[in-house]
Amino acid sequence: MYDCIVVGGGIAGLQAAIQLGRYRHRVLVIDKGRGRSTLCRSYHNVLGWPDGVSGQELRHLGRTHAERLGVEFRRDEVVAAARNGRGFQIALADGGGAVHTETLLAATGVLDRFPPLPGLEERLGISVYVCPDCDGYEVGGKRTVVMGSGDTGAGMALALRYWTDRIIYVNHERQAVGSGHADKLKEADIPHVEAEIAEVLGGPDARFDGVRLSDGRTIEGERGFIAFDGNEVHTGWTVALGIERLENRHIVTDPRTKMTNVPGVWAAGDIGVHSEQVTIAMGEGSQAAIWIHKELLKRKTNTAVFV
């Protein structure tokens, strides 16, 4: 039995694994290998990385660090979890089977929804962005194409007005833009195009040059932003545990310990209720790990006294 299983090998999960490894606990990280941090080619707002660092590089460094501390890794997907005695049984997708642990950390994150447009994914984090708080700075004064859907895309275009007045919004999915957002777009002098995007255009080094529409028109740009609703919060596998979730499926945790309403289960990173930032994910990973350690110590002490 493991002392702790960390479900999710992104930024929060890796930081927690490193902390738990330094406590010399037996730790397993289960990760399916795809998430926000695998898609972002560069984070620009992380302390110590003024020129940016890719999610892939952070994951590589984090895993190498954790493995040096004895943390184990398994490429798989968790499909369900259930209490088993004083611990938990974790059901896996790849070939079935299950693993057991005394404590559990959920760090499976969120995945942004976006259409499979040619030329889009390889530019994420370099010239096409997702989060205005993270990367609004990168579009300062530049002609920016917002690729989005309905009010979600309109809201992103309006938010980016803080950074640049050279914005055009392409409503790729042609969902309705409410009158309130439409009026604000007009007031902000942001053109609004109702058309499907056929391709994201660009050159070497993941440069963004604009988009080609399905009707053949081209819209030029220097930077891009995506804003589609329906982001996937990966907490479905926790339902059987009875973990408290909000309507948007984010997990509620104690702000001090990051423990959920289920004793022995913690949550950290983007699946929690907070601003979704890589640096916050790091902090929450460490925070959860510290309290997991306290719980494991308490259990071992109580067992020793009882024996």
Side-chain angles (χ1 to χ4, degrees):
M1 178 180 287
Y2 290 95
D3 293 325
C4 183
I5 287 180
V6 178
V7 184
I11 306 306
L14 287 171
Q15 188 66 66
I18 289 167
Q19 185 69 30
L20 289 167
R22 288 174 61 84
Y23 285 130
R24 297 183 294 187
H25 292 301
R26 189 177 181 219
V27 179
L28 172 66
V29 177
I30 303 173
D31 181 53
K32 67 179 181 180
R34 182 174 172 83
R36 270 183 168 172
S37 56
T38 64
L39 294 172
C40 184
R41 302 297 192 271
S42 185
Y43 293 107
H44 299 92
N45 62 339
V46 180
L47 177 67
W49 302 92
D51 297 321
V53 58
S54 73
Q56 296 95 323
E57 178 67 6
L58 279 178
R59 286 172 67 103
H60 169 71
L61 292 171
R63 176 164 179 164
T64 300
H65 190 170
E67 287 178 332
R68 286 171 55 185
L69 295 165
V71 174
E72 299 175 37
F73 284 80
R74 179 165 177 170
R75 181 71 169 266
D76 211 327
E77 183 176 2
V78 172
V79 294
R83 185 170 290 282
N84 183 21
R86 71 173 189 172
F88 302 91
Q89 178 174 301
I90 313 301
L92 304 176
D94 189 8
V99 286
H100 299 82
T101 182
E102 284 205 41
T103 61
L104 178 63
L105 173 62
T108 34
V110 173
L111 190 60
D112 301 274
R113 185 182 74 84
F114 54 87
L117 298 175
L120 174 59
E121 191 168 307
E122 58 265 35
R123 290 177 170 81
L124 291 176
I126 297 179
S127 60
V128 177
Y129 310 103
V130 176
C131 170
D133 297 310
C134 305
D135 290 316
Y137 176 88
E138 303 299 324
V139 308
K142 294 181 170 61
R143 180 169 172 80
T144 301
V145 179
V146 175
M147 300 165 273
S149 176
D151 281 345
T152 301
M156 177 67 77
L158 291 165
L160 292 175
R161 191 65 173 74
Y162 178 86
W163 296 104
T164 180
D165 59 3
R166 303 169 63 201
I167 302 170
I168 185 166
Y169 170 39
V170 181
N171 187 4
H172 168 73
E173 294 181 333
R174 291 184 284 189
Q175 290 188 11
V177 175
S179 58
H181 278 95
D183 290 344
K184 290 179 181 178
L185 288 173
K186 187 175 181 179
E187 291 171 8
D189 197 25
I190 298 175
H192 170 201
V193 178
E194 293 278 335
E196 291 184 6
I197 299 167
E199 181 184 8
V200 175
L201 304 174
D205 301 322
R207 188 183 73 225
F208 177 82
D209 290 337
V211 298
R212 181 172 59 83
L213 304 180
S214 58
D215 61 12
R217 287 181 293 164
T218 297
I219 296 177
E220 296 182 350
E222 298 171 274
R223 294 289 188 272
F225 251 89
I226 59 172
F228 297 88
D229 57 359
N231 291 350
E232 186 176 357
V233 185
H234 295 293
T235 58
W237 64 274
T238 69
V239 171
L241 290 169
I243 288 177
E244 181 184 0
R245 301 188 302 168
L246 300 181
E247 290 184 1
N248 62 10
R249 301 195 298 172
H250 285 272
I251 292 175
V252 178
T253 61
D254 182 282
R256 184 184 183 202
T257 67
K258 310 315 298 180
M259 192 167 77
T260 70
N261 63 304
V262 177
V265 182
W266 285 256
D270 290 349
I271 59 172
V273 184
H274 58 72
S275 174
E276 297 168 12
Q277 295 276 320
V278 64
T279 49
I280 291 175
M282 287 182 183
E284 289 197 352
S286 287
Q287 187 178 2
I290 289 168
W291 287 91
I292 291 169
H293 170 65
K294 292 178 186 293
E295 174 64 20
L296 289 168
L297 275 184
K298 183 172 68 174
R299 292 186 183 192
K300 288 177 181 178
T301 300
N302 289 344
T303 300
V305 170
F306 178 77
V307 171

